[in-house]
């Protein structure tokens, strides 16, 4: 059946054709996204630089998905439905847990329980629209839209994919240039869930990374590639710190990293990083560690904002050292929390799409 075929496709991706370098990228992106939500970019220059360095995280998530899904042939509609239902299950599951906790709180405080019950379906919708307690589920909403589009995109000829890639890239760059002209980010008028020009661009960029990696391999060594990335990183971080403070601004604060995703210089930087990590030779020991950690990445993404609230409330993030400690502690606690969920059979659906 189609469902059996889809499950076989998932298993094949997970086992037979596993690319440990892509898994490494996912792990690094997962750590970086926690940094984006933990590090106070307006605290100091050091924090701002580290914050903007973590800006590769979200594009890398979409690129890794495109790398796998668009390089393995046509994707069936049933596969997309299976993935979308998985996302819906995650959204409903987590909102149900939060609703139960709110109901218990209402009982203790002798408040109306019915208000919390009626709030449940509203919160399920709000979270994928970047609102409410689970605001970070916007990523799942965007991912669900991408999954719905995959059967169409996967059937496009390579020429048509490149045309779509160019169109979405041109739209992104045009939006970024308009932001320069206005001195304010144009993307703020569209929630991240619906910034499809950006996500489709990076999704398609991921599918082209095999060719880009091959191009780098033909002309420069891994060492030279690493040096190029280091130099370009210094440039990109400095560029974003200056632009985000002087040319495109949000009130009196530095610009959020999300508004640089449409920048051509950011696109080039992420392509350099992604292709470099694809070229790194990994030892058997490192591959074993990656195999153990990569199943936790979705769970870390899902749980970390909830854990950040507790960590920041307990130790704060008002200094460089404390902010770094908050980042590390949040990652560690998210890993532990996700590991516990995986070990409870009937809870695994909460972190698996």
């Amino acid at each position: 059946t189609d469902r059996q075929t889809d499950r076989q496709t998932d298993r094949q991706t997970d086992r037979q054709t596993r690319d440990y370098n892509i898994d490494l990228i996912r792990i690094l992106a997962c750590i970086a996204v926690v940094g984006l939500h933990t590090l106070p970019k307006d605290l100091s220059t050091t924090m701002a630089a580290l914050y903007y360095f973590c800006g590769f995280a979200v594009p890398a998530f979409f690129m890794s998905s495109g790398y796998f899904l668009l390089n393995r042939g046509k994707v069936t509609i049933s596969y997309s439905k299976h993935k979308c239902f998985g996302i819906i299950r995650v959204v409903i599951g987590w909102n149900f847990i939060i609703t139960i906790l709110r109901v218990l709180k209402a009982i203790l405080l002798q408040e109306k329980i019915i208000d919390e019950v009626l709030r449940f379906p509203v919160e399920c919708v709000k979270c994928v629209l970047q609102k409410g307690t689970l605001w970070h589920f916007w990523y799942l909403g965007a991912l669900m839209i991408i999954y719905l589009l995959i059967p169409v995109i996967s059937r496009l000829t390579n020429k048509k994919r490149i045309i779509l890639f160019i169109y979405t890239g041109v739209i992104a760059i045009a939006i970024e240039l308009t932001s320069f002209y206005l001195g304010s980010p144009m993307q703020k008028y569209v929630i991240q869930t619906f910034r499809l020009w950006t996500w489709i661009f990076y999704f398609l960029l991921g599918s082209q990374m095999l060719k880009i990696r091959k191009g780098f391999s033909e002309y420069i060594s891994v060492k030279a590639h690493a040096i190029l990335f280091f130099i370009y990183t210094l440039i990109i971080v400095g560029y974003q710190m200056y632009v985000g403070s002087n040319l495109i601004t949000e009130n009196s604060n530095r610009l959020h990293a999300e508004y640089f995703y449409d920048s051509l210089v950011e696109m080039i930087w992420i392509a350099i990083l992604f292709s470099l990590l694809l070229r790194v030779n990994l030892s058997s020991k490192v591959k074993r560690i990656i195999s153990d950690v990569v199943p936790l990445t979705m769970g870390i993404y899902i749980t970390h904002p909830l854990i950040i609230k507790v960590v920041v409330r307990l130790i704060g993030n008002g200094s460089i050292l404390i902010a770094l400690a908050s980042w590390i502690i949040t990652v560690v606690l998210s890993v532990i929390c996700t590991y516990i969920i995986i070990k409870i059979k009937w809870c695994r659906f909460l972190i698996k799409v």
Side-chain angles (χ1 to χ4, degrees):
T1 65
D2 286 340
R3 181 170 293 182
Q4 289 174 326
T5 301
D6 294 336
R7 288 175 178 172
Q8 288 170 357
T9 302
D10 276 341
R11 285 196 294 270
Q12 186 179 40
T13 299
D14 291 339
R15 296 173 187 172
Q16 296 174 359
T17 60
R18 176 156 301 285
D19 190 319
Y20 291 98
N21 294 73
I22 288 291
D23 288 341
L24 174 61
I25 292 171
R26 285 175 170 167
I27 292 169
L28 294 177
C30 195
I31 295 171
V33 83
V34 178
L36 282 176
H37 297 151
T38 308
L39 301 173
K41 59 182 171 55
D42 299 305
L43 179 64
S44 67
T45 301
T46 301
M47 283 292 97
L50 195 53
Y51 169 82
Y52 284 125
F53 176 76
C54 291
F56 73 89
V58 177
F61 280 137
F62 284 100
M63 287 175 67
S64 61
S65 295
Y67 179 92
F68 273 130
L69 294 174
L70 295 181
N71 285 317
R72 68 180 191 187
K74 295 178 181 178
V75 177
T76 65
I77 293 175
S78 60
Y79 174 82
S80 293
K81 286 166 58 179
H82 170 68
K83 287 296 185 180
C84 288
F85 285 137
I87 291 173
I88 292 170
R89 190 171 61 233
V90 169
V91 170
I92 292 175
W94 281 99
N95 277 286
F96 180 76
I97 291 172
I98 289 176
T99 297
I100 293 298
L101 294 175
R102 284 174 175 158
V103 166
L104 293 175
K105 180 182 176 181
I107 293 172
L108 291 174
L109 299 177
Q110 296 183 337
E111 296 175 347
K112 290 184 178 180
I113 298 175
I114 189 63
D115 291 341
E116 299 300 337
V117 174
L118 294 176
R119 188 177 172 183
F120 169 69
V122 176
E123 289 297 317
C124 287
V125 176
K126 282 174 63 178
C127 69
V128 295
L129 299 178
Q130 207 173 346
K131 297 178 181 179
T133 304
L134 299 173
W135 57 268
H136 60 297
F137 276 22
W138 71 261
Y139 170 71
L140 297 180
L143 194 61
M144 185 159 59
I145 296 173
I146 293 293
Y147 275 126
L148 290 173
L149 295 175
I150 287 175
V152 176
I153 296 175
S154 68
R155 284 167 172 76
L156 294 177
T157 63
N158 191 53
K159 182 179 179 180
K160 289 182 178 179
R161 285 189 196 177
I162 291 175
I163 291 173
L164 179 60
F165 173 70
I166 293 172
Y167 277 160
T168 53
V170 168
I171 292 171
I173 293 169
I175 290 173
E176 187 74 3
L177 292 176
T178 304
S179 298
F180 268 105
Y181 178 75
L182 297 175
S184 177
M186 289 295 294
Q187 299 94 326
K188 69 182 180 181
Y189 298 108
V190 181
I191 61 173
Q192 290 195 74
T193 310
F194 299 128
R195 294 178 195 168
L196 297 181
W197 67 88
T198 305
W199 312 137
I200 292 174
F201 171 82
Y202 282 109
F203 189 75
L204 290 168
L205 179 59
S207 71
Q208 298 298 316
M209 287 313 300
L210 283 172
K211 296 177 183 177
I212 294 173
R213 180 188 65 178
K214 183 179 179 181
F216 274 111
S217 300
E218 289 177 353
Y219 292 101
I220 61 175
S221 65
V222 175
K223 183 177 180 180
H225 198 157
I227 293 172
L228 172 64
F229 170 70
F230 176 76
I231 295 173
Y232 198 89
T233 297
L234 295 179
I235 294 171
I236 194 76
V237 170
Y239 166 83
Q240 292 184 357
M241 289 176 65
Y242 178 76
V243 171
S245 299
N246 299 283
L247 302 181
I248 308 176
T249 58
E250 296 177 274
N251 300 320
S252 60
N253 299 324
R254 285 190 172 96
L255 195 67
H256 280 87
E258 69 190 69
Y259 297 125
F260 285 109
Y261 298 160
D262 292 331
S263 169
L264 177 61
V265 291
E266 173 113 345
M267 296 170 183
I268 295 171
W269 177 55
I270 294 173
I272 293 172
L273 169 60
F274 205 97
S275 55
L276 172 62
L277 292 174
L278 287 178
R279 297 180 66 188
V280 174
N281 290 321
L282 302 172
S283 66
S284 298
K285 183 178 180 180
V286 171
K287 287 180 179 179
R288 285 196 297 272
I289 295 173
I290 289 173
S291 295
D292 291 336
V293 176
V294 78
L296 307 177
T297 51
M298 180 57 79
I300 293 170
Y301 178 83
I302 290 171
T303 59
H304 83 269
L306 303 175
I307 293 172
I308 285 174
K309 288 184 178 180
V310 177
V311 173
V312 172
R313 181 171 293 183
L314 291 176
I315 69 173
N317 63 349
S319 70
I320 294 176
L321 289 178
I322 292 178
L324 291 174
S326 296
W327 184 13
I328 295 170
I329 292 171
T330 299
V331 171
V332 172
L333 291 180
S334 298
V335 168
I336 294 172
C337 183
T338 302
Y339 181 79
I340 292 172
I341 292 172
I342 285 179
K343 290 301 179 181
I344 303 174
K345 187 176 181 180
W346 53 273
C347 284
R348 290 174 189 167
F349 76 94
L350 291 169
I351 56 170
K352 184 173 177 59
V353 173

